[in-house]
Amino acid sequence: DGGITQSPKYLFRKEGQNVTLSCEQNLNHDAMYWYRQDPGQGLRLIYYSQIVNDFQKGDIAEGYSVSREKKESFPLTVTSAQKNPTAFYLCASSTSRLAGSHEQYFGPGTRLTVT
Amino acid sequence: AQSVTQLDSQVPVFEEAPVELRCNYSSSVSVYLFWYVQYPNQGLQLLLKYLSGSTLVKGINGFEAEFNKSQTSFHLRKPSVHISDTAEYFCAVSESSGGSNYKLTFGKGTLLTVNP
């Protein structure tokens, strides 16, 4: 089945540690995205990548880093510089607008708790 | 830049009643509009989308939405809800022009609770 996988589903870390969240897609999509979701806040864009080896900051990139070495993979690192890292993190992907598609497809999410 | 306002943070309804979830947007350019649904501790699933053409859009699970350009609204409706419709619903907008601009802007969500 084609889709987006995020692992792990739940992640616990101590304050001051960096942590990397995994996102893999087998939809052959060009673009990938990371969102952060907090209660009552909706989804806020952290980083996005439209093509391999290229990515752009979203609205709340501070304290996060990403890489896009392969089309299928877009890992997100939450660094110790992120002041409030506890949240639900969602990865998404989309194909090229030139291909006529406009919606984003979402993974199941990773809930990160930092204490 | 665009923005999305979902006018109700919570909507409680009884089973088999009709429901409307309201969404207004702001943008200086033409837009595409989306409604997504999120069940607890899961990702988002696309309900329906408006790209062009008929302003009444039908989606999955019996939902529909109407695009109103003059009122910059895209309200979601269902004539008769089920317990299983209990979830959070997100309205989202993206620019329809701009080449490779893929970005979606989301509203803060509306929690629909269907009571027996």
Side-chain angles (χ1 to χ4, degrees), chain A residues 5 7 10 14 16 18 23 37 42 51 67 69-70 74 78 80-81 83 89 93 99 104 108 111-113 115:
Chain A
T5 56
S7 59
Y10 298 94
K14 294 289 188 187
N18 291 355
C23 177
Q37 186 177 19
I51 196 168
S67 63
E69 297 176 1
K70 298 187 300 181
F74 191 41
V78 184
S80 56
K83 291 183 173 53
Y89 290 88
S93 70
Q104 294 181 15
R111 186 166 297 281
L112 174 65
T113 303
T115 57

Side-chain angles (χ1 to χ4, degrees), chain B residues 13-19 78-83 114-115:
Chain B
V13 294
F14 288 109
E15 194 173 16
E16 297 183 5
V19 70
K78 187 169 182 178
S80 176
V81 294
H82 302 290
I83 298 284
V114 181
N115 298 300

Side-chain angles (χ1 to χ4, degrees), chain B residues 12 40-41 45 48-50 57-58 60-61 67-68 76 81 95 101-102 108 116:
Chain B
N41 289 313
Q45 178 184 5
L48 48 79
K49 61 185 176 186
Y50 171 79
V57 180
K58 294 192 184 296
I60 62 171
N61 301 340
F67 171 55
N68 188 318
L76 181 71
V81 294
E95 294 182 5
N101 186 347
Y102 300 80
K108 294 189 176 182

Side-chain angles (χ1 to χ4, degrees), chain B residues 5-16:
Chain B
T5 302
Q6 291 185 241
L7 295 151
D8 305 293
S9 59
Q10 297 185 53
V11 174
V13 294
F14 288 109
E15 194 173 16
E16 297 183 5

Side-chain angles (χ1 to χ4, degrees), chain A residues 3-34:
Chain A
I4 301 174
T5 56
Q6 291 186 243
S7 59
K9 180 102 177 138
Y10 298 94
L11 192 53
F12 298 88
R13 281 293 182 271
K14 294 289 188 187
E15 201 173 309
Q17 294 178 335
N18 291 355
V19 59
T20 297
L21 282 59
S22 168
C23 177
E24 304 277 334
Q25 56 99 358
N26 60 4
L27 299 167
N28 199 33
H29 285 172
D30 295 305
M32 296 186 75
Y33 313 79
W34 274 106

